[in-house]
Amino acid sequence: MTESILLVEQRGPVRVLTFNRPQQRNALNSALIDTLRAELAAADADEQTSVVILTGSDPAFCAGLDLQELGSGGNTLLKVEDESIPVGHPWVPLSKPIIGAINGAAITGGLELALACDILIASERARFADTHARVGVLPGWGLTSRLPAAVGRGFARRMSLSGNFVDAEEALRAGLVTEVVEHDALMNAALALAETIAGNDQPGVRTLLASYRRAEEHVVDPALQAEKQTSRAWLETFTPDRVADRRADVIGRGRAQNA
């Protein structure tokens, strides 16, 4: 029996979604993107679920888009550009909080998934990098808005233009994550926070979360539209061969930095 590429576990009022392509470092192929979006929608519709935790099967959280599928002409980028998903989002935004439990490397598209969560907790093994510039693909899930909002303009540009990795402690200092814990304590820490949130008045939690989002709209929405326009224009000249040519170099350089 084939094991699921996304594990789903209900822990009381908390639903845990775990990327499960460990041999591929949980890289996002078309099937995983579709499955993730469907399971998040299901969690949002389930009245017994108050909080979602998103994490990965070790050793990585998510290595971003599957470069092998993308380089071979796969339709991963079409999944990124799904017209049914609001501009600048990897999934339809949930009415419930999402906690990202970052257990390892969160790279490029994986970093964008982390940024789309409401709260991030990191294992000491967590690493973050934006390698769009290395691969020759532009962000389309809101990175150019959410990353500077989290870590500041200069630090965000440094990450994006260099492609270098940021470790867990540096991510904490920059404000990208709210807490760093020992690796084996990560899920317990995420569950403890999720259960605290779930123990509050749920209409109040969801209304407050919606209020935070509305308060950000005047800044976030124009930035997401600008990113979309840039990404769409870039895709008009994009060819999968560009990724295929750079794939080995990108992977090797990333492994050297993340060693």
Side-chain angles (χ1 to χ4, degrees):
M1 181 176 177
T2 303
E3 193 167 14
S4 174
I5 57 177
L6 185 72
L7 304 179
V8 181
E9 181 184 8
Q10 194 72 28
R11 302 280 293 266
V14 181
R15 186 163 300 185
V16 181
L17 303 181
T18 305
F19 299 123
N20 194 40
R21 302 183 72 216
Q23 297 305 314
Q24 295 79 29
R25 298 175 66 80
N26 300 320
L28 296 165
N29 61 8
S30 299
L32 182 53
I33 292 172
D34 280 343
T35 304
L36 174 63
R37 287 171 169 168
E39 289 296 344
L40 285 169
D44 205 34
D46 179 17
E47 284 303 316
Q48 303 306 309
T49 298
S50 298
V51 183
V52 176
I53 294 175
L54 185 62
T55 192
S57 296
D58 285 341
F61 174 72
C62 176
L65 295 184
D66 188 320
L67 296 183
Q68 184 171 0
E69 180 184 79
L70 184 59
S72 64
N75 65 347
T76 315
L77 284 180
L78 297 179
K79 297 296 183 184
V80 171
E81 289 284 301
D82 190 332
E83 294 291 345
S84 68
I85 308 296
V87 170
H89 295 271
W91 52 71
V92 175
L94 274 61
S95 64
K96 304 167 183 178
I98 303 179
I99 298 171
I102 313 302
N103 59 300
I107 305 170
T108 314
L111 174 58
E112 290 192 281
L113 295 187
L115 288 166
C117 296
D118 297 293
I119 302 167
L120 296 182
I121 297 175
S123 154
E124 61 195 346
R125 298 180 190 174
R127 301 290 185 272
F128 302 87
D130 176 22
T131 62
H132 281 101
R134 291 188 188 178
V135 180
V137 177
L138 263 64
W141 283 342
L143 181 138
T144 55
S145 172
R146 296 189 183 98
L147 185 58
V151 303
R153 174 177 176 270
F155 199 88
R157 294 185 184 192
R158 176 175 174 169
M159 287 183 68
S160 292
L161 300 181
S162 71
N164 289 339
F165 277 81
V166 170
D167 66 21
E169 290 297 335
E170 191 171 11
L172 179 64
R173 289 193 296 271
L176 181 56
V177 303
T178 63
E179 181 181 5
V180 176
V181 300
E182 292 183 2
H183 185 72
D184 292 341
L186 177 63
M187 189 50 61
N188 285 340
L191 284 167
L193 177 59
E195 288 163 1
T196 297
I197 295 170
N200 292 333
D201 177 75
Q202 287 310 294
V205 166
R206 295 172 199 178
T207 302
L208 184 56
L209 182 59
S211 181
Y212 266 107
R213 291 173 179 164
R214 284 198 304 274
E216 297 169 345
E217 284 176 357
H218 70 289
V219 174
V220 172
D221 287 0
L224 296 180
Q225 288 291 342
E227 182 182 270
K228 176 186 176 181
Q229 292 168 4
T230 305
S231 182
R232 289 272 176 93
W234 180 260
L235 283 175
E236 291 178 3
T237 63
F238 173 82
T239 61
D241 291 345
R242 181 184 300 164
V243 173
D245 290 344
R246 295 187 58 80
R247 179 171 175 264
D249 176 63
V250 169
I251 292 173
R253 187 176 173 189
R255 284 175 177 167
Q257 277 200 310
N258 204 30

